[in-house]
Amino acid sequence: METWAGFCPGLHLCLGIWVMIAAHTLQNANAEITCASCPSPLQLNQEELRLVMRTDQAVEPGTLKNIRVEFRELRFQNTGVAEDHETGVPVEDVLLFSQDNSLNGVNIKEDTLEFSEESKRGSRRDTEPEMSDDAALQRAKRSGPEFIEFSESGWTGRTGLEVAAPEDRGSLLDGQKQGRSEFRWNRDEGRESTRQAEPKLTSSTFSLTGDSAHNHAVVYWSGQNSSVILILTKLYDFHIGSVTESTLWRSTDYGSTYERMNDKVGSRTVLSYLYVCPTNKRKIMVLTDPEFESSVLISSDEGASYQKYRLTFYILSLLFHPTEEDWALAYSHDQKLYSSVDFGRKWQLIHEHVTPNRFYWSVSGLDKEPDLVHMEAHTPDGNVQYVTCRAQMCTETNRNYPFTGYIDISSLVVQDDYIFIQVPTSGRATYYVSYKRDPFIQIKLPKYSLPKDLHIVSTDEKQVFAAVQEWNQNDTYNLYLSDTRGIYFTLAMENVKTTRGIGGNQMLDLYEVAGIKGMLIANKRQDNQVKTYITYNKGRDWRLLQAPATDLDGNDIHCILPFCSLHLQLQMSENPYLSGTISTKSSAPGIIMATGNIGAELSYNNVGMFISSDAGNSWRQIFEEEHNVWFLDKGGALVAVKQPSVPTRHLWVSFDEGRQWTQHSFSSVPLFVDGVLVEAGAENQIMTFFGHFSHRSEWQLIKIDYKSIFTRKCTEEDYQTWHLHNQGEPCVMGQKQIYMKRRPGNYCMLGKDYSRILSAESCICRAHDFECDYGYERRGDGNCRPAFWFNPSTLSTSCSQGQNYLNSTGYRKVVLNNCTKGVKEMYTARKQQCPNRPPKGLLLTTKDGKLTANLGINVTFLVHLDEGDSLRTNIQLDFGDGTAVSYSNLSWTEEGIKHVYKSAGIFRVTALAENMLGYDTTTLFLHVTCPVEHIQLLAPFVVIRNKEVNITAVVLPTHSRTVTYFWWLGNNTEPVITLDGSISYTFPNEGMHTITVQVAAANAILQDTKTIAVKEFFKSLLLSFSPNLDEFNPDIPEWRQDVGRVIKKALLQVSDFPEEQLLVAVFPGVPTAAELFLLPHKNKSEDKKKSEEELDKMSDIIVSALNQNFVEFELKPGVRVIVYNTQLTLAPLVDSNPRHNSSAMLMLLSVVFLGLAVFLIYKFKRKIPWINIYAEVNQEKEQEMIGSVGQGDSTPKITLSEFSTTKELMEKEVDARVKRGVSNACESTREIPNCTSV
C-alpha cells in the first residue's frame, strides 16, 4: 500500500527537507502531547471517569457467559447467559467506572456493576519505583488474581486493573517521550514476519464538551443499518446516592458529530436510565431520577423527540415482551409489578410483593396467552408462591397457581421449555421441573449428591446444564446434564473451579464454544491444582489442552502431557465491550482466543494470549501480554487492543487467524480505552472507541471506518473448506461436519456471514456417543455400572401389567448427537412388558414435609410407592382419629389425600398398599396443635421450707400431650422440661423465690411468672371486703397487685408490724377475697417459740382491728372499702418440725378442725385457687395413650360462651379436674378450635 506522498514525486525534495528539520527539532523538544480540547501534559491520575456502553449486539447463543452464582443465601436460580437490554435490564447495567476511590464509590444496583476508577487506571502493574520515559507505554506485567475482586482500597481485575498502594498511585506519563515502542514492531505489539506499511484508517474524534465532571455514561447504538447513537452521561453523587446532573447526546452520522438533547427532554430534567425496545429499536424509554421526579420520557423516532409521562411509582427494572414492541413489565422500589401495553404511557398493577428479578413474560409456543406473566409472589403470612396471570387481567380470581404448594424465595426460573422451582423442606433441598408446561416432577440427582446449592446454567440445547454444589464442596461445583425433560441428571464433570467476582458473585469456570455444538472448556480442581479440560461431546469425554510447540521467538516448548499442558482463564468480562479472557464467535467456527499459561496448572502470572484455529486441537501464542481481541467483518478478521491499564493509540489487525498482525493508528494521542463497539450496524464497517486522554478530559468518542484496510470484496475463490475434528477423529457429536470459511491471509471483505456448514454426514454410533444413564457410573474400564445406591430392577409404579416400559442398558445417547446404527441398538433402552409385582417401598409424608399441623386446617398426605402396579394396588389410609379412607389404585392419590382434624393430639397415621401378590405398610405420627392463647401459673404464695409443693400451669385452650412446659424453679439456670402441666418441687432455702413457666405449642410460646416466699413457719388470715369492691374488680393481675399494696398499707396503719413481714395476696375471681400472710423475721427463725408468740400477738391485733372495721381504704373518691376477717386461718403456725408434746385432745381438735377446713376449702375453692392444686395431685394419673378416639358428638365440650371471663374458664377447668380427673374439650363461640383430648 502506498502513502499519499507516493502520488506526487515532485514533493519528495520538500518532504525530505521537512523531515530533517523535524528530526532536529525533536531532539530538543519535550514529548508533551497537547491538543485544543485536552489538558496538558498527559498523565495518569487516581481519579478517572466511568463509561458504560450498550448496543444491540446479539449475545452468541452458544456461549455460556461465565456462569454467575450470586451469594445471597445460595438460592436456586438461573445463572446462565447474562441478560441484555432485551430482557429488561437497563442499557447501563454493565461495567461502570467510578471517580470515587473507595468502597463508598461502589454501587451495585440490580445487575449494575460499578467500580472504583482509581483501580481501573492510575496504578502500576509492576511496583518498580521508577519508570523511564521509554518504558512509560510498555506493557504491564500481570500480577495478582485474575478475577475481579473488591478490597478496601478498590478492586483488581482481569482487564489489566490492579490496585497499588496510595503512594504508588499518580502520574505515570508525566513528561513522557514517545518511545520507540509506539512506532516499531516487537513482541509487545504483536508478531509479523515482514514489516508492512501501515494502512491509514479513516477516523474522527468527538469530545463531549462540558461533561468532564460526569462520572457515568451510557452509549447505545441501535444497529440495523441505523446511524443513530445515543449517549447519556450522568454525575452520580455517592454521598447522597443519586444522580444530580445528566446530559443526553444524539448522533445521526454514526458518531461523527453529536447534538445535546437536554432542551428536548427538559433543561432541568435529570435522567437516570435509558432503555431501547428490543423488537423496535426506534422506540426508546428514558427514566428520570426519582429524587427529582418520577417520570418516563418516550420516543418513537430514535430519540429525536420525547413525550413525558408522570409515574406514581419508581421503576427499578423493565422487562420488554419478546415479540410485542409496546408491552413491558416494570418492577417498582416497593416490590410491585406493573404492566403496560402502550409502551409506558399507562401502567396497571399486576401483583404486590413480587420477588426481584423473578418475573417472566410468556414463552411463545408454550404458553397459550401471549400476555401471560410468570412471577414469584409473597403471601401475607410470609410464604412464597408461583403465580401466573394475564398482564391486564390479574385479579385474584384470574390468578393461577401451577404449583399448589409453597416454594423457596428466589427459586423460580422460567427458561425455554422449562420451569424450575425449589420447595422448602426441613432438611434437604428439593427441586422440581416442569417440561413444556407439564405437571411439576421432582428432579432426580444422584441419591447422595445432597446439594447445598443448584444453579441452572443452560437450557438452550434440549437439555439442562446444572451446576450443583454438593454437601462436601466449598469453592467448586459439579456439572450435571439432564435428559430432554430435565428430570434425570448425570454427572458430566466434578469439581469445576469457581472464582469470586464482582460484589461477591461466584463465577463458574465453564465456557461453551460458540458455533460448535457440544464443545465445552472447563477448569477443574484436582489434587490442589486447577487444570483446563476440553470436551467435544457435552462432557462425555474430557482431555487436557496440548500446549504450543514453540513460543513467539520460535524456541521449542517442551511441554509433555499430562504433566504439562495449556491452561486458559475462562472468565467473561464484566464489561461487554471488553473481550474478556476468552472469545469465540459462531460466524468464525473453530477460532478460539484466550488468555492463559503453559505449565502444570492454571496460573495468573506470566500469562499470554493464545489462539486456536482448529477448535482447540492445536494452539499458538500471539501476544506475551493480555489484549482485548474482537472479531471484525463477521469473523473474517481479528482486531486487538492492549488492556485498558495502559494508554494506546494503536490497534492490530490480523487476516490470517492471528499468524500475522498489522499495526494501525486510531488516534494521534494515546487513549485509555474503556471499551470498543464493534459491528453495531449490519452493513457498515464501523467501530467506535470510548475512553479518555486523561482523567481531566471530556469523554472521547473515536469513530473508525475500517473499510479502507480491505483491498476488495471476497469472491468464491477466497473461501476454503475446514473439517471439524477431535485429535484427528472426524466424527464430532455423531457427524462429520465440514465448514466453509475465508482463506487465511486474504485481504478481502466478507460483508456478510459466509461461515456455514457445507455438509454434516451422520457417523456410525460408537461408545463415545453414549453417556451413563441415571443411576449408573462410569468405572475404570470405561463401562457404566449401577451405583451402589441404585437398583436397576426398580420399575416405575406407572408400569402396569399389560403395558410396556423401557429397560435401561445403563447408557443413554448424548442429547443432540446425530449418530446412527452401529452400537445404537446395543446401548439403547429396550422395550419390555411390565410384570405384576407386589408393592414395595411405601412412603407416607405430608405435602409440606412437616409432622405438625394446626387444628382445623387441611392436612394433605402424599403416598409414594417405589415398586408395584399402581393401577392394581389398593391404598388404605387410617388418619388415627377414627377416620379412614380407601382407594382402588394409586392414581387416585396423585393430588394428595386431604383431612381435617377436629381435636388436638398426636395421631398415628397408617398407610397400607395391597394387591394379590402382597402388601406394604408405613406409619407416621402427626402432631395436631391448637394455638395457645393464655397461660396462668397456679402456685401458693408462701410455702414451708423442705416441704414438697405442687405447681400447675393452666393453658387455654386446653391441650393434650401437644404442649411442652419449661420450668425455671428457684435459682436454676437450666429449665425442667415436662409434657405435663404440673410439677412438684421442694425449696431447700428460705427467702423469696421466682418460678417461671413457658408453654410451647406449635409456633407460639407464652410465659408466666410467680414469686413464692419460702419460710420455716408462718401464719395467715383470710380477708374479705365490702361488696362495693366487686363493682370495680376487672379481674386482672395488675389490679390485684395494686389492691394488695393498698390493703397492706391500710393494715400497717393499725399495727406496728414490720412491712417486710406482711404479705397480702388477692385471689382471682369475684367476690374479691385475699389472704394475709404473717411471716417471721428473717433473723429470728431460729428462735421459733419466740417468733410464734410474736406472730400470735400480731395476729390478735390485726383480727381485732378487722373485727372493729378499723381497716379500710379509699378506692376512688367517694368509694371506701372495708376489710373483714373471714374467721379462718389456713395455716396456723405451720411448722416443718413435729411437736412431740402435743396432747390427745389437741390431736382430736386438729382432726375436727381439718375436717372443717376441708369443707370450707371446697366451698371457697374459687377464692383459694392454690388449694385446688393440692387437691389435684390426688387424682388418678391421666391415661397415657396416643391411639385414636371417635370425634362424635358424645365428646364432652365446654364453650367459652359459658364464662364471662378467661379466669372463670380456668377455674372451671381446675374444678373439673378436681371432680373428674378428666381434661375438658374447649370450644369457643369466637371460633377457637375445639381441642378435645386424645
Side-chain angles (χ1 to χ4, degrees):
M1 180 178 294
E2 294 181 335
T3 62
W4 65 273
F7 294 98
C8 189
L11 295 178
H12 283 182
L13 179 60
C14 295
L15 179 60
I17 296 173
W18 179 85
V19 171
M20 293 175 62
I21 296 173
H24 176 74
T25 304
L26 287 175
Q27 293 178 0
N28 303 311
N30 291 329
E32 293 186 0
I33 303 174
T34 62
C35 63
S37 60
C38 62
S40 179
L42 179 64
Q43 60 180 1
L44 280 175
N45 193 281
Q46 303 180 47
E47 296 186 69
E48 297 291 344
L49 301 182
R50 296 193 179 193
L51 179 63
V52 177
M53 295 164 289
R54 195 69 176 180
T55 184
D56 66 336
Q57 281 182 298
V59 175
E60 292 294 339
T63 303
L64 298 181
K65 297 302 183 189
N66 202 222
I67 296 84
R68 297 178 53 185
V69 182
E70 296 189 1
F71 278 93
R72 281 179 297 240
E73 291 183 358
L74 287 179
R75 294 292 183 183
F76 173 66
Q77 59 185 330
N78 172 24
T79 54
V81 177
E83 290 184 292
D84 59 11
H85 59 272
E86 297 192 10
T87 59
V89 179
V91 295
E92 62 201 276
D93 283 353
V94 292
L95 188 61
L96 304 180
F97 297 97
S98 168
Q99 285 183 318
D100 194 282
N101 57 8
S102 67
L103 285 180
N104 293 331
V106 177
N107 177 25
I108 298 181
K109 176 180 181 182
E110 298 288 316
D111 291 332
T112 303
L113 303 170
E114 303 180 357
F115 307 103
S116 169
E117 181 65 22
E118 165 187 288
S119 305
K120 172 179 174 289
R121 299 189 293 266
S123 62
R124 301 183 184 181
R125 301 299 300 230
D126 295 323
T127 58
E128 60 268 27
E130 299 292 340
M131 289 188 65
S132 65
D133 293 339
D134 290 338
L137 291 181
Q138 289 182 355
R139 68 180 181 274
K141 294 293 185 182
R142 181 179 184 83
S143 63
E146 172 66 11
F147 51 90
I148 299 174
E149 61 180 8
F150 284 102
S151 65
E152 291 186 0
S153 58
W155 64 285
T156 63
R158 167 181 66 256
T159 56
L161 316 179
E162 184 169 330
V163 178
E167 60 270 15
D168 293 334
R169 301 179 183 128
S171 174
L172 297 182
L173 301 180
D174 194 3
Q176 68 173 358
K177 295 181 181 180
Q178 292 183 350
R180 287 180 297 170
S181 60
E182 286 292 311
F183 303 101
R184 62 181 174 86
W185 285 102
N186 55 27
R187 284 201 301 263
D188 297 340
E189 298 173 336
R191 269 275 190 206
E192 93 173 328
S193 58
T194 304
R195 172 75 180 269
Q196 298 184 9
E198 178 181 323
K200 182 147 181 88
L201 292 177
T202 303
S203 64
S204 63
T205 302
F206 188 89
S207 300
L208 301 185
T209 306
D211 283 356
S212 60
H214 289 190
N215 51 14
H216 281 202
V218 181
V219 181
Y220 183 82
W221 191 356
S222 66
Q224 296 181 338
N225 299 322
S226 172
S227 61
V228 174
I229 299 178
L230 295 173
I231 301 177
L232 174 62
T233 65
K234 302 178 294 183
L235 174 59
Y236 186 87
D237 191 324
F238 292 99
H239 298 289
I240 64 176
S242 64
V243 178
T244 57
E245 296 179 14
S246 67
T247 304
L248 182 62
W249 300 83
R250 183 173 184 265
S251 172
T252 58
D253 51 9
Y254 293 104
S256 296
T257 59
Y258 289 85
E259 175 189 3
R260 188 187 294 264
M261 303 293 293
N262 282 29
D263 291 339
K264 295 187 178 181
V265 300
S267 58
R268 296 186 178 181
T269 301
V270 178
L271 307 178
S272 59
Y273 291 97
L274 174 67
Y275 294 86
V276 178
C277 176
T279 54
N280 183 354
K281 302 298 179 63
R282 295 182 58 83
K283 292 189 174 182
I284 299 170
M285 194 180 299
V286 185
L287 302 179
T288 61
D289 190 274
E291 294 295 329
F292 297 89
E293 60 175 321
S294 184
S295 302
V296 58
L297 292 99
I298 296 174
S299 174
S300 300
D301 51 10
E302 291 188 283
S305 61
Y306 294 89
Q307 293 177 314
K308 180 183 287 188
Y309 295 88
R310 294 283 184 178
L311 297 176
T312 58
F313 59 96
Y314 168 32
I315 296 179
L316 286 181
S317 62
L318 283 177
L319 180 65
F320 291 101
H321 195 275
T323 58
E324 298 292 335
E325 62 183 53
D326 289 334
W327 293 5
L329 299 177
Y331 186 76
S332 69
H333 66 289
D334 54 355
Q335 296 187 327
K336 295 180 181 179
L337 187 64
Y338 296 83
S339 68
S340 174
V341 294
D342 55 4
F343 201 70
R345 291 169 177 82
K346 296 179 182 179
W347 296 92
Q348 180 173 330
L349 178 64
I350 296 179
H351 205 292
E352 297 180 345
H353 307 296
V354 177
T355 304
N357 300 318
R358 298 296 166 180
F359 49 90
Y360 309 85
W361 277 114
S362 62
V363 178
S364 178
L366 295 175
D367 295 308
K368 296 180 180 179
E369 298 88 3
D371 62 341
L372 189 71
V373 179
H374 304 262
M375 65 190 123
E376 183 183 291
H378 297 247
T379 62
D381 57 357
N383 292 308
V384 181
Q385 287 183 305
Y386 167 32
V387 185
T388 62
C389 64
R390 303 186 67 175
Q392 297 290 308
M393 300 173 57
C394 197
T395 60
E396 184 61 41
T397 56
N398 294 326
R399 294 172 184 168
N400 295 313
Y401 302 88
F403 188 80
T404 55
Y406 297 128
I407 67 175
D408 273 339
I409 187 172
S410 298
S411 70
L412 175 65
V413 175
V414 180
Q415 188 168 305
D416 298 323
D417 294 340
Y418 307 90
I419 300 177
F420 305 92
I421 58 173
Q422 178 178 333
V423 175
T425 55
S426 56
R428 306 174 187 173
T430 305
Y431 306 97
Y432 286 80
V433 62
S434 169
Y435 177 63
K436 292 188 175 181
R437 305 306 186 259
D438 289 339
F440 281 92
I441 299 178
Q442 184 175 345
I443 287 177
K444 299 294 184 180
L445 291 166
K447 186 174 182 180
Y448 295 107
S449 65
L450 306 179
K452 295 191 298 185
D453 190 24
L454 185 148
H455 298 266
I456 300 303
V457 175
S458 173
T459 58
D460 56 359
E461 291 190 348
K462 296 185 178 180
Q463 71 176 154
V464 181
F465 282 71
V468 178
Q469 188 173 62
E470 302 188 4
W471 63 274
N472 56 350
Q473 293 178 310
N474 294 318
D475 59 349
T476 60
Y477 280 71
N478 289 349
L479 180 64
Y480 285 89
L481 288 88
S482 76
D483 59 349
T484 302
R485 296 183 300 162
I487 300 174
Y488 294 97
F489 283 78
T490 58
L491 182 65
M493 173 174 270
E494 291 183 302
N495 296 319
V496 179
K497 173 183 174 290
T498 60
T499 302
R500 188 168 299 277
I502 303 304
N505 296 331
Q506 201 79 347
M507 314 296 287
L508 188 67
D509 278 17
L510 174 68
Y511 185 84
E512 186 174 3
V513 178
I516 300 179
K517 180 176 58 179
M519 185 174 175
L520 299 165
I521 303 177
N523 285 330
K524 178 181 179 179
R525 185 180 298 278
Q526 186 175 9
D527 299 329
N528 295 323
Q529 290 184 329
V530 177
K531 298 185 178 184
T532 301
Y533 290 81
I534 190 170
T535 179
Y536 294 83
N537 53 8
K538 285 195 170 183
R540 186 342 187 140
D541 301 291
W542 297 86
R543 64 172 175 83
L544 295 169
L545 298 180
Q546 179 65 58
T550 60
D551 59 15
L552 283 176
D553 292 325
N555 301 318
D556 292 338
I557 299 177
H558 301 284
C559 186
I560 301 175
L561 294 174
F563 309 102
C564 174
S565 61
L566 175 65
H567 309 283
L568 305 180
Q569 300 173 15
L570 303 180
Q571 292 84 37
M572 294 299 297
S573 173
E574 298 289 348
N575 183 349
Y577 295 93
L578 297 176
S579 62
T581 61
I582 184 167
S583 298
T584 59
K585 193 175 181 67
S586 59
S587 60
I591 299 180
I592 308 172
M593 296 176 294
T595 302
N597 68 284
I598 299 172
E601 62 177 328
L602 178 66
S603 173
Y604 297 100
N605 298 316
N606 300 320
V607 299
M609 294 294 298
F610 298 87
I611 189 170
S612 174
S613 301
D614 55 3
N617 287 282
S618 62
W619 295 83
R620 304 184 309 276
Q621 186 173 1
I622 55 176
F623 297 108
E624 284 187 343
E625 59 186 14
E626 294 181 70
H627 280 65
N628 286 289
V629 185
W630 294 273
F631 292 89
L632 291 184
D633 192 32
K634 306 301 178 185
L638 304 176
V639 60
V641 178
K642 287 184 179 180
Q643 288 282 12
S645 57
V646 203
T648 183
R649 61 189 184 92
H650 294 297
L651 56 83
W652 292 266
V653 179
S654 175
F655 290 88
D656 56 1
E657 299 176 345
R659 293 177 176 85
Q660 293 183 345
W661 294 85
T662 306
Q663 177 180 276
H664 301 270
S665 296
F666 64 86
S667 173
S668 60
V669 179
L671 181 77
F672 289 105
V673 179
D674 294 324
V676 179
L677 188 62
V678 180
E679 292 191 36
E683 300 297 334
N684 61 70
Q685 287 74 41
I686 295 176
M687 56 182 174
T688 304
F689 279 63
F690 305 91
H692 297 81
F693 293 138
S694 75
H695 77 286
R696 298 178 182 273
S697 68
E698 289 86 0
W699 299 96
Q700 306 298 323
L701 308 175
I702 302 178
K703 168 192 171 184
I704 301 174
D705 189 340
Y706 59 87
K707 186 183 299 183
S708 60
I709 66 176
F710 297 103
T711 58
R712 56 186 173 82
K713 288 189 177 181
C714 293
T715 62
E716 292 295 332
E717 289 73 19
D718 293 309
Y719 297 92
Q720 66 178 14
T721 59
W722 173 69
H723 297 253
L724 174 65
H725 65 94
N726 175 15
Q727 297 290 284
E729 170 57 54
C731 290
V732 177
M733 289 295 288
Q735 61 183 0
K736 298 178 181 178
Q737 303 175 44
I738 302 176
Y739 291 82
M740 181 179 179
K741 61 181 182 178
R742 186 175 59 184
R743 296 179 184 275
N746 287 17
Y747 286 71
C748 62
M749 182 173 59
L750 294 177
K752 61 179 180 179
D753 187 1
Y754 268 92
S755 176
R756 61 182 183 273
I757 299 178
L758 288 182
S759 65
E761 178 185 351
S762 295
C763 299
I764 299 299
C765 288
R766 290 183 290 177
H768 62 253
D769 296 312
F770 292 83
E771 61 188 2
C772 292
D773 202 354
Y774 174 77
Y776 291 81
E777 297 174 340
R778 192 172 302 280
R779 302 298 171 85
D781 58 2
N783 294 322
C784 296
R785 307 289 185 190
F788 75 93
W789 50 266
F790 182 70
N791 182 7
S793 63
T794 301
L795 300 180
S796 171
T797 56
S798 61
C799 186
S800 182
Q801 187 176 10
Q803 298 178 345
N804 295 323
Y805 74 99
L806 294 176
N807 186 15
S808 175
T809 62
Y811 300 85
R812 69 185 186 190
K813 192 176 180 182
V814 175
V815 176
L816 296 183
N817 187 292
N818 294 319
C819 72
T820 59
K821 301 180 181 179
V823 298
K824 181 177 181 180
E825 184 176 352
M826 181 192 311
Y827 286 119
T828 303
R830 300 178 179 89
K831 184 180 294 186
Q832 296 184 3
Q833 190 173 13
C834 296
N836 194 11
R837 55 205 187 281
K840 287 184 179 180
L842 183 64
L843 179 65
L844 178 64
T845 61
T846 58
K847 191 166 186 177
D848 57 6
K850 299 178 180 179
L851 296 178
T852 61
N854 291 329
L855 189 68
I857 303 299
N858 257 324
V859 182
T860 302
F861 295 95
L862 300 179
V863 179
H864 173 76
L865 190 63
D866 287 338
E867 297 183 47
D869 188 342
S870 62
L871 297 180
R872 290 174 171 80
T873 299
N874 177 269
I875 300 295
Q876 299 179 23
L877 188 62
D878 186 347
F879 298 108
D881 60 352
T883 307
V885 293
S886 178
Y887 298 91
S888 60
N889 60 66
L890 196 63
S891 61
W892 292 101
T893 67
E894 291 180 353
E895 298 298 325
I897 304 172
K898 296 182 178 181
H899 183 67
V900 178
Y901 287 90
K902 297 181 180 179
S903 61
I906 304 175
F907 298 91
R908 177 173 181 156
V909 186
T910 305
L912 170 67
E914 185 178 19
N915 61 19
M916 295 183 299
L917 300 180
Y919 69 92
D920 194 11
T921 62
T922 185
T923 300
L924 68 79
F925 295 92
L926 183 69
H927 292 239
V928 179
T929 59
C930 181
V932 176
E933 294 185 354
H934 188 74
I935 178 176
Q936 183 174 353
L937 181 61
L938 303 180
F941 298 101
V942 184
V943 299
I944 302 301
R945 184 176 67 87
N946 292 327
K947 287 290 186 179
E948 188 177 73
V949 60
N950 290 333
I951 305 167
T952 299
V954 178
V955 298
L956 288 179
T958 56
H959 292 63
S960 176
R961 318 200 70 79
T962 61
V963 174
T964 303
Y965 298 85
F966 300 85
W967 307 87
W968 281 269
L969 305 170
N971 297 321
N972 295 339
T973 57
E974 294 295 328
V976 177
I977 303 175
T978 67
L979 297 177
D980 193 4
S982 296
I983 190 173
S984 298
Y985 187 73
T986 300
F987 293 91
N989 300 317
E990 287 188 287
M992 303 301 292
H993 295 264
T994 300
I995 299 177
T996 300
V997 62
Q998 286 185 341
V999 176
N1003 295 324
I1005 297 180
L1006 298 182
Q1007 174 178 306
D1008 194 11
T1009 300
K1010 294 290 185 182
T1011 299
I1012 296 180
V1014 179
K1015 295 293 181 180
E1016 195 76 21
F1017 54 89
F1018 64 89
K1019 186 177 181 66
S1020 66
L1021 301 171
L1022 284 179
L1023 305 178
S1024 59
F1025 307 92
S1026 55
N1028 59 348
L1029 181 60
D1030 296 339
E1031 300 176 7
F1032 303 96
N1033 185 353
D1035 199 15
I1036 60 176
E1038 294 85 348
W1039 185 89
R1040 290 192 289 270
Q1041 292 177 4
D1042 291 337
V1043 170
R1045 187 173 60 254
V1046 173
I1047 297 172
K1048 182 177 180 180
K1049 184 177 180 180
L1051 290 171
L1052 292 175
Q1053 294 177 354
V1054 298
S1055 67
D1056 57 354
F1057 204 64
E1059 181 180 355
E1060 64 272 11
Q1061 293 181 243
L1062 288 181
L1063 177 62
V1064 178
V1066 180
F1067 299 136
V1070 178
T1072 307
E1075 185 170 8
L1076 171 63
F1077 295 92
L1078 304 178
L1079 308 178
H1081 194 277
K1082 60 181 180 179
N1083 295 325
K1084 296 183 179 180
S1085 296
E1086 296 180 358
D1087 191 357
K1088 185 178 300 182
K1089 183 175 181 181
K1090 184 177 180 180
S1091 296
E1092 290 177 355
E1093 293 175 354
E1094 291 180 356
L1095 292 183
D1096 289 335
K1097 180 179 179 181
M1098 186 56 60
S1099 175
D1100 293 341
I1101 295 174
I1102 293 177
V1103 169
S1104 175
L1106 291 173
N1107 291 335
Q1108 299 179 54
N1109 296 337
F1110 288 166
V1111 182
E1112 63 177 4
F1113 60 90
E1114 187 177 43
L1115 186 66
K1116 57 185 302 185
V1119 179
R1120 300 196 65 81
V1121 178
I1122 301 176
V1123 183
Y1124 304 103
N1125 178 22
T1126 58
Q1127 304 298 326
L1128 174 65
T1129 300
L1130 294 179
L1133 295 179
V1134 180
D1135 192 356
S1136 60
N1137 298 318
R1139 292 182 176 272
H1140 302 286
N1141 56 353
S1142 58
S1143 62
M1145 180 60 70
L1146 181 59
M1147 293 178 59
L1148 179 61
L1149 291 175
S1150 298
V1151 171
V1152 174
F1153 183 82
L1154 179 61
L1156 179 61
V1158 170
F1159 173 77
L1160 292 176
I1161 288 172
Y1162 177 76
K1163 297 296 291 183
F1164 292 91
K1165 60 182 178 298
R1166 286 169 56 104
K1167 301 180 183 178
I1168 318 172
W1170 61 271
I1171 295 299
N1172 292 327
I1173 298 172
Y1174 285 97
E1176 180 185 1
V1177 299
N1178 295 324
Q1179 305 301 319
E1180 292 185 3
K1181 186 177 181 181
E1182 209 171 57
Q1183 281 190 336
E1184 297 183 6
M1185 63 179 188
I1186 306 179
S1188 60
V1189 298
Q1191 299 189 64
D1193 295 336
S1194 60
T1195 303
K1197 301 178 180 179
I1198 299 177
T1199 62
L1200 291 179
S1201 59
E1202 299 176 12
F1203 307 115
S1204 59
T1205 62
T1206 302
K1207 57 92 184 177
E1208 293 182 3
L1209 181 58
M1210 288 186 177
E1211 293 170 357
K1212 287 194 176 183
E1213 163 69 11
V1214 176
D1215 186 24
R1217 294 176 68 177
V1218 172
K1219 292 181 179 179
R1220 302 187 302 272
V1222 179
S1223 298
N1224 290 338
C1226 67
E1227 183 177 357
S1228 172
T1229 56
R1230 296 181 289 115
E1231 299 183 355
I1232 296 178
N1234 174 34
C1235 301
T1236 305
S1237 63
V1238 178

